[in-house]
Amino acid sequence: EPEVTQTPSHQVTQMGQEVILRCVPISNHLYFYWYRQILGQKVEFLVSFYNNEISEKSEIFDDQFSVERPDGSNFTLKIRSTKLEDSAMYFCASREAGGLRPTDTQYFGPGTRLTVL
Amino acid sequence: AQKVTQAQTEISVVEKEDVTLDCVYETRDTTYYLFWYKQPPSGELVFLIRRNSFDEQNEISGRYSWNFQKSTSSFNFTITASQVVDSAVYFCALSTPYNNNDMRFGAGTRLTVKP
């Protein structure tokens, strides 16, 4: 069964460093998402991406964050200058298409745990 | 604006007990989707169910059942004859096509099933 994959599973970085989190969505999916979950808290929406541009972003997604689909398979989240409070689990998700069909469920990757020291 | 409330922060039951996890949602949209996800200690999000706003039929899948009631804006989840492996954090979530289907999650309910 196709699945969303994310690399690395765990990333440790120093405060102020740039990190890139990578995701490979399911191949025929068109909508892509990043979510964040600070330890012990709820999952929060960061950004959605469709047709090579951001569709929507939350207030969390400030200028430190950017997303890109550099080729036909990868979907990346970049944090330019990490802060301690960026430490969290980051989930990528993808969805096939719009509308009300059963295929419109978002499928989540296993997550990347980012630790900022 | 969309909002999901899971008032139960933690629930602890003994194996074989039935347990219901509550979820109340808010949205002004007439078309929306509701979800339940399970997050085991390993951290991944496991999709359990998706419900469309126009389909209020309750669903049963093995020991799991869901009660969707638009009149009370609730989408509750019941585990019958709970097992230790059911121990996890359970998240209820809401999305609508009007905001690109990005999902709004509740705070989660941590379920502990003791042997």
Side-chain angles (χ1 to χ4, degrees):
Chain A
E1 186 177 321
E3 57 183 18
V4 177
T5 59
Q6 291 184 243
T7 54
S9 56
H10 190 190
Q11 172 98 42
V12 181
T13 190
Q14 295 290 326
M15 190 170 58
Q17 295 295 305
E18 174 184 287
V19 294
I20 297 177
L21 309 183
R22 290 184 167 78
C23 169
V24 178
I26 295 172
S27 62
N28 63 334
H29 285 191
L30 301 177
Y31 294 79
F32 313 111
Y33 305 82
W34 283 102
Y35 293 82
R36 179 184 82 175
Q37 184 184 28
I38 295 172
L39 185 64
Q41 298 186 23
K42 68 178 179 182
V43 180
E44 300 172 290
F45 166 73
L46 289 179
V47 65
S48 58
F49 192 87
Y50 170 70
N51 201 25
N52 281 320
E53 60 182 25
I54 290 174
S55 304
E56 189 172 348
K57 58 184 181 180
S58 71
E59 58 277 5
I60 303 169
F61 194 87
D62 61 22
D63 292 343
Q64 296 279 54
F65 292 90
S66 63
V67 289
E68 194 177 31
R69 190 156 160 81
D71 52 43
S73 59
N74 288 285
F75 178 51
T76 62
L77 174 68
K78 181 192 291 186
I79 309 175
R80 263 180 268 284
S81 178
T82 50
K83 303 186 281 264
L84 294 177
E85 54 265 37
D86 293 327
S87 294
M89 180 78 94
Y90 290 82
F91 291 102
C92 173
S94 70
R95 178 170 68 88
E96 184 174 346
L100 303 177
R101 295 167 294 176
T103 51
D104 297 331
T105 298
Q106 287 184 34
Y107 292 90
F108 284 81
T112 292
R113 181 166 297 285
L114 176 65
T115 302
V116 182
L117 302 175
Chain B
Q2 284 85 33
K3 184 180 176 183
V4 176
T5 302
Q6 294 180 256
Q8 304 151 308
T9 308
E10 294 192 36
I11 298 176
S12 180
V13 299
V14 177
E15 208 170 18
K16 297 183 183 173
E17 283 185 18
D18 298 348
V19 58
T20 295
L21 310 182
D22 297 333
C23 173
V24 174
Y25 62 92
E26 293 176 33
T27 179
R28 293 197 192 104
D29 296 321
T30 55
T31 299
Y32 51 89
Y33 317 116
L34 296 164
F35 303 83
W36 275 96
Y37 284 86
K38 175 182 180 179
Q39 188 174 45
S42 50
E44 72 271 25
L45 289 169
V46 179
F47 168 76
L48 296 178
I49 190 170
R50 172 186 189 267
R51 239 20 205 169
N52 302 328
S53 55
F54 50 82
D55 181 4
E56 276 194 81
Q57 188 173 15
N58 293 326
E59 181 158 337
I60 297 174
S61 175
R63 294 184 298 107
Y64 295 169
S65 62
W66 292 269
N67 183 359
F68 177 27
Q69 293 199 347
K70 289 176 78 169
S71 61
T72 55
S73 297
S74 65
F75 186 44
N76 297 337
F77 172 32
T78 297
I79 302 175
T80 303
S82 59
Q83 299 175 2
V84 173
V85 293
D86 296 328
S87 296
V89 180
Y90 291 85
F91 290 98
C92 181
L94 168 73
S95 73
T96 85
Y98 306 105
N99 66 341
N100 205 45
N101 279 299
D102 57 88
M103 299 180 72
R104 299 289 186 252
F105 285 79
T109 298
R110 180 177 297 279
L111 174 65
T112 302
V113 181
K114 299 177 181 176

